[in-house]
Amino acid sequence: NKRVKAVSVFRPFIFGSEAQPFDPEKRPANAPVDHTHQWRVFVKGINDEDISYWLKKVQFKLHETYPQAVRTVETPPFEVVETGWGEFEIQIKLYFTPESGEKPQTLWHSLKLHPYGPDAEGMKERREVVISQNYEEVIFNEPVEPFYDLMTGG
Ligand code: SLL
């Protein structure tokens, strides 16, 4: 496939996590006894825009303490919902739509369970959701023609 010269196509997205301590009155029944939080890690479009026309699948690699630590998500929402007790680095591998001919790209996200800063104690008591997310852009330099057409609606 021919490349479109001197052109870069970029797409913005959000990746990150949301976490919350269990409600002590009703812990999830199937959660191991040492787990304290529920959380999710995700990759999504800005304002929840559908990004599945360029993002084919996402592979999340959790801490090795998790059974089946590698989780592959092939359809939106690109997310993993879990419970746990500890914070760790999550490897996020983005696979692009096959027309792109692009190699996967890897990102890292630090799962945050615990609030920090002046309000941290109050947040814990109120069991507020701890959000840690980042804006990112993927850039495709000189994309192949079919992918360029897909991206630009041509
Ligand atoms: C820590 N370095 O010591 C980190 C490790 C591991 C987190 C955190 C439970 C996994 C499971 C879980 O939360 N692991 O029980 O399946 O803080």
Side-chain angles (χ1 to χ4, degrees):
N1 273 318
K2 272 175 56 187
R3 292 188 169 272
V4 185
K5 295 288 176 202
V7 164
S8 295
V9 173
F10 74 91
R11 285 294 177 275
F13 63 96
I14 307 280
F15 70 102
S17 60
E18 290 184 5
Q20 191 177 30
F22 292 151
D23 180 346
E25 317 278 80
K26 47 173 202 253
R27 294 169 45 92
N30 48 1
V33 286
D34 57 341
H35 287 195
T36 52
H37 288 69
Q38 55 201 47
W39 54 261
R40 65 186 195 97
V41 58
F42 53 82
V43 177
K44 64 182 187 183
I46 309 289
N47 298 323
D48 287 313
E49 183 207 2
D50 181 11
I51 55 175
S52 61
Y53 67 95
W54 59 267
L55 188 60
K56 176 84 165 65
K57 69 175 180 183
V58 180
Q59 191 185 74
F60 298 92
K61 194 167 172 192
L62 310 182
H63 193 264
E64 63 200 11
T65 47
Y66 281 87
Q68 284 112 37
V70 178
R71 312 282 176 91
T72 304
V73 184
E74 312 232 0
T75 50
F78 298 110
E79 66 174 14
V80 170
V81 178
E82 261 297 352
T83 64
W85 53 264
E87 300 182 333
F88 57 93
E89 297 288 313
I90 300 177
Q91 189 197 70
I92 303 176
K93 204 165 169 183
L94 307 179
Y95 290 83
F96 306 108
T97 192
E99 293 87 337
S100 73
E102 298 282 339
K103 292 197 193 74
Q105 290 186 22
T106 300
L107 309 165
W108 290 87
H109 175 69
S110 302
L111 173 65
K112 281 211 58 63
L113 302 185
H114 309 294
Y116 58 88
D119 301 328
E121 286 313 312
M123 283 181 70
K124 278 183 202 160
E125 275 159 35
R126 295 189 299 275
R127 300 194 314 107
E128 280 177 38
V129 177
V130 174
I131 301 173
S132 170
Q133 60 181 15
N134 299 280
Y135 175 96
E136 190 52 87
E137 285 171 1
V138 65
I139 301 171
F140 304 105
N141 290 314
E142 303 198 339
V144 292
E145 274 172 0
F147 188 50
Y148 179 79
D149 292 345
L150 179 77
M151 296 296 264
T152 55

